[in-house]
Amino acid sequence: MNIEKSLDALEQLVPHYLLRNEKVSSTTVAWHIDHSLKVINSVCEALKKSNPENYKGTSSFVKFYIFLTGNIPKGKAKAPKHVVENGEISKIALENQLEISKKHLQEIKILSAKNHFSHPYFGMLPLKKSQRFLAIHTKHHLKIINEIINSNK
């Protein structure tokens, strides 16, 4: 699933934003949507601000494994503070962030292949790998959201 399809899937799940199941996650569906959108928006901002001339490829086993499998193990990483909301998350805030994310994803399509962002575990990711990371990360949270929703039926 590419990042645009993942974003569409997040949008379809906004009506369930208040759902929670402590056995699946300590947070609500809203938190997972909000976090996913914050990651998309911050990565896109970093990509747009980056200087392609400064790109240096990096490698790590963790990056190789996650990009190969397309899966992030649940509960293995801690999100940076700037992509975590600790307060109440409204439906309107989610909808506003969705619109910003859609705009960002269109804007990064015209960037150089060497525009990049620095991931705390994976190092520098060029444009295509950044887009792949966003798809993998969003898919990870979509799985958790769907578990929460399905456990509330």
Side-chain angles (χ1 to χ4, degrees):
M1 182 180 302
N2 70 26
I3 186 56
E4 283 87 5
K5 287 182 182 174
S6 296
L7 191 61
D8 290 342
L10 282 176
E11 187 169 23
Q12 298 302 311
L13 297 170
V14 169
H16 304 282
Y17 77 108
L18 292 174
L19 291 179
R20 170 193 296 259
N21 183 329
E22 294 284 334
K23 291 178 184 170
V24 176
S25 173
S26 62
T27 59
T28 63
V29 166
W31 185 93
H32 288 280
I33 295 172
D34 179 77
H35 170 67
S36 296
L37 295 172
K38 278 182 168 52
V39 169
I40 291 167
N41 291 331
S42 67
V43 168
C44 288
E45 286 292 331
L47 286 166
K48 291 190 289 185
K49 290 177 185 172
S50 70
N51 181 346
E53 293 174 17
N54 295 338
Y55 173 70
K56 289 182 180 72
T58 57
S59 63
S60 77
F61 177 75
V62 174
K63 177 171 78 173
F64 173 77
Y65 176 78
I66 288 173
F67 278 67
L68 177 69
T69 63
N71 289 310
I72 299 172
K74 191 173 169 184
K76 296 294 180 194
K78 182 116 170 90
K81 290 179 184 172
H82 71 280
V83 291
V84 174
E85 180 60 53
N86 292 317
E88 183 115 359
I89 303 165
S90 71
K91 186 177 180 188
I92 291 169
L94 294 176
E95 291 166 345
N96 290 339
Q97 276 195 88
L98 271 161
E99 292 310 310
I100 294 166
S101 295
K102 288 176 187 178
K103 181 179 173 209
H104 280 313
L105 290 176
Q106 290 306 309
E107 291 170 349
I108 66 169
K109 286 182 178 182
I110 62 166
L111 297 177
S112 161
K114 289 189 176 182
N115 276 81
H116 57 277
F117 101 100
S118 292
H119 186 278
Y121 299 111
F122 306 151
M124 278 191 186
L125 297 177
L127 179 62
K128 293 288 181 206
K129 285 202 175 181
S130 295
Q131 291 167 313
R132 173 104 167 102
F133 162 72
L134 290 174
I136 291 168
H137 180 265
T138 306
K139 177 182 140 192
H140 169 73
H141 286 280
L142 283 167
K143 279 185 186 175
I144 297 168
I145 292 166
N146 283 316
E147 278 185 57
I148 293 169
I149 291 168
N150 289 334
S151 69
N152 277 277
K153 288 183 178 176

